[in-house]
Amino acid sequence: MSRVFNFSAGPAMLPEAVIKKASEEMLDWHGEGMSVMEMSHRGKAFMSIASKAEADLRTLMAIPDNYKVLFLQGGASMQFGAIPLNLLGDKTTADYINTGMWSKKAIAEAKRYCDVNVAASSEDSGFTTIPDFADWKLNPDAAYVHYTPNETIGGVEFDYIPDTGDVPLIADMSSTILSRPVDVSKFGMIYAGAQKNVGPAGLTLVIIRDDLLGHAADITPTMLNYKTHADADSMYNTPPTYSWYMAGLVFEWLLDNGGLQAMGKINKSKSDKLYAAIDGNDFYANPVEKRYRSWMNVPFTLKDADLDAAFLEQAAAKGLATLKGHRSVGGMRASIYNAMPESGVDTLVEFMAEFARANG
Ligand SMILES: *Cc1c(COP(=O)(O)O)cnc(C)c1O
């Protein structure tokens, strides 16, 4: 059985070179006589893996020194609650931008802890656009502004970073982190579940500015308090050691391949090709306003939904796997994160043309 092009939204494809390296190191990591999974997180070997991963991520994203990088568990979903608990301080309200399903989940959870001001929403459009920044109703008393730069389900992505002045900007980058260079200094905090563009599930990255630590509400569970993890270098308790190691291999792979500048170019090229294939054939459609189309998650529908099953079956026979769209959007979704080679997109584009010819 050969490896397929896996278009899953997450857990998603990992670079083949990374999986090979992990398999070579599986039984005996660097002469330790054990796998990374079997190591003490406090031993020298794992400490070196952990600190190299952090250093490489700092290099890749050019993370300024006044930001902490935390390697946590619980997924991005856990952060939906941790964010208000840690960041409200003596404020009682926070601004949220609603651009799709993940924004909505973050909003619903925050409402348990504070007054949520939905400062802008694209719900009226069916989440096919990004609300014009000029129309945002930001509250100067908000503790922070939360948004989702890339909505994984709707396939809508911001093409700019909002300027929220002195109010810290918090971004759920689960499905777009590492897809291109980003100016970290514009953010109070960036977080991401790892299983889309970073590594295996089980790891959550939090990149947080120093001054936002230490203001957690008294009721905050110790394990949800960012300061706990910042003070303990993410080793307050047993971290997700294997996922941390795998993320480290992904960071190395990215650095070896030109870093985020190079990734951004490839990702732009991959998504341009796929949107051209959709727009160039009236058999396919994508409803998102062109400027805000995601580079990472590309939803599309066929002219006739009755053909969906045949499309998926014939695609799978060509090694194009997991193209079924999210139930709320229907049709197909091709997630094309960093690990998806350009040849995977080329093969998909070719298949789409063939399928349209045969069924159009
Ligand atoms: C996948 C995803 C989540 C949820 O991540 P978990 O790690 O499963 O909790 C949250 N936000 C966005 C934007 C996502 O793509």
Side-chain angles (χ1 to χ4, degrees):
M1 162 102 202
S2 60
R3 281 175 62 77
V4 297
F5 293 119
N6 177 6
F7 292 92
S8 168
M13 244 179 129
L14 287 163
E16 193 167 303
V18 165
I19 299 197
K20 278 197 174 134
K21 174 121 197 239
S23 75
E24 282 158 18
E25 296 181 337
M26 179 63 81
L27 288 176
D28 176 12
W29 185 86
H30 296 204
E32 293 291 314
M34 61 178 87
S35 76
V36 174
M37 279 177 274
E38 300 162 298
M39 287 175 183
S40 162
H41 58 294
R42 308 211 185 270
K44 235 171 76 184
F46 187 75
M47 295 289 255
S48 75
I49 290 170
S51 58
K52 178 163 193 313
E54 179 178 338
D56 284 350
L57 180 64
R58 285 183 174 276
T59 304
L60 269 175
M61 293 183 72
I63 300 173
D65 288 344
N66 62 325
Y67 285 73
K68 288 276 189 303
V69 178
L70 310 179
F71 292 79
L72 308 179
Q73 305 186 53
S77 303
M78 180 91 94
Q79 299 308 315
F80 296 163
I83 287 164
L85 281 167
N86 278 274
L87 303 183
L88 281 167
D90 50 15
K91 306 237 162 127
T92 56
T93 176
D95 284 345
Y96 278 72
I97 312 303
N98 180 17
T99 52
M101 220 186 78
W102 289 114
S103 304
K104 285 180 96 148
K105 289 207 168 176
I107 289 167
E109 187 69 5
K111 279 184 174 166
R112 299 162 54 93
Y113 303 101
C114 64
D115 293 327
V116 169
N117 170 43
V118 177
S121 172
S122 58
E123 189 153 20
D124 286 351
S125 76
F127 297 125
T128 56
T129 186
I130 296 294
D132 212 339
F133 185 61
D135 300 332
W136 291 20
K137 304 271 186 297
L138 294 171
N139 174 1
D141 291 329
Y144 58 86
V145 179
H146 178 281
Y147 83 121
T148 311
N150 183 68
E151 284 282 357
T152 321
I153 292 171
V156 252
E157 183 158 20
F158 281 73
D159 65 349
Y160 65 95
I161 299 172
D163 178 3
T164 54
D166 290 339
V167 181
L169 180 63
I170 314 299
D172 175 1
M173 286 204 189
S174 292
S175 51
T176 189
I177 192 167
L178 303 177
S179 68
R180 77 204 77 178
V182 61
D183 183 352
V184 174
S185 74
K186 298 246 158 70
F187 298 88
M189 172 181 150
I190 290 169
Y191 66 103
Q195 67 275 17
K196 279 124 190 187
N197 217 7
V198 175
L203 170 71
T204 310
L205 290 179
V206 167
I207 302 167
I208 182 166
R209 213 174 57 211
D210 283 344
D211 62 286
L212 299 178
L213 297 166
H215 310 292
D218 284 344
I219 57 155
T220 307
T222 307
M223 276 294 292
L224 285 190
N225 191 327
Y226 298 137
K227 192 159 188 314
T228 304
H229 300 289
D231 289 348
D233 292 327
S234 304
M235 304 245 185
Y236 173 77
N237 72 330
T238 317
T241 50
Y242 199 76
S243 298
W244 191 332
Y245 155 76
M246 287 292 287
L249 293 186
V250 171
F251 301 153
E252 258 177 46
W253 175 80
L254 287 167
L255 287 170
D256 288 347
N257 285 278
L260 301 192
Q261 205 84 36
M263 264 318 122
K265 279 207 186 102
I266 297 169
N267 287 327
K268 169 101 171 65
S269 163
K270 277 156 51 183
S271 58
D272 278 352
K273 280 183 185 176
L274 190 44
Y275 287 116
I278 293 165
D279 293 340
N281 192 328
D282 62 12
F283 189 83
Y284 299 107
N286 167 289
V288 178
E289 188 180 342
K290 288 205 166 90
R291 173 175 166 199
Y292 299 120
R293 283 172 162 181
S294 169
W295 289 12
M296 296 281 101
N297 311 96
V298 183
F300 61 94
T301 51
L302 313 191
K303 201 163 68 178
D304 177 359
D306 288 345
L307 290 167
D308 284 3
F311 182 95
L312 288 166
E313 194 185 313
Q314 291 171 36
K318 293 221 180 305
L320 302 165
T322 341
L323 281 162
K324 192 172 169 43
H326 191 270
R327 61 190 179 282
S328 67
V329 176
M332 308 298 149
R333 172 174 51 172
S335 293
I336 49 175
Y337 302 115
N338 289 341
M340 172 62 66
E342 193 143 8
S343 59
V345 172
D346 293 339
T347 309
L348 172 60
V349 163
E350 229 169 86
F351 168 72
M352 286 168 68
E354 247 170 60
F355 189 86
R357 259 197 308 278
N359 298 280

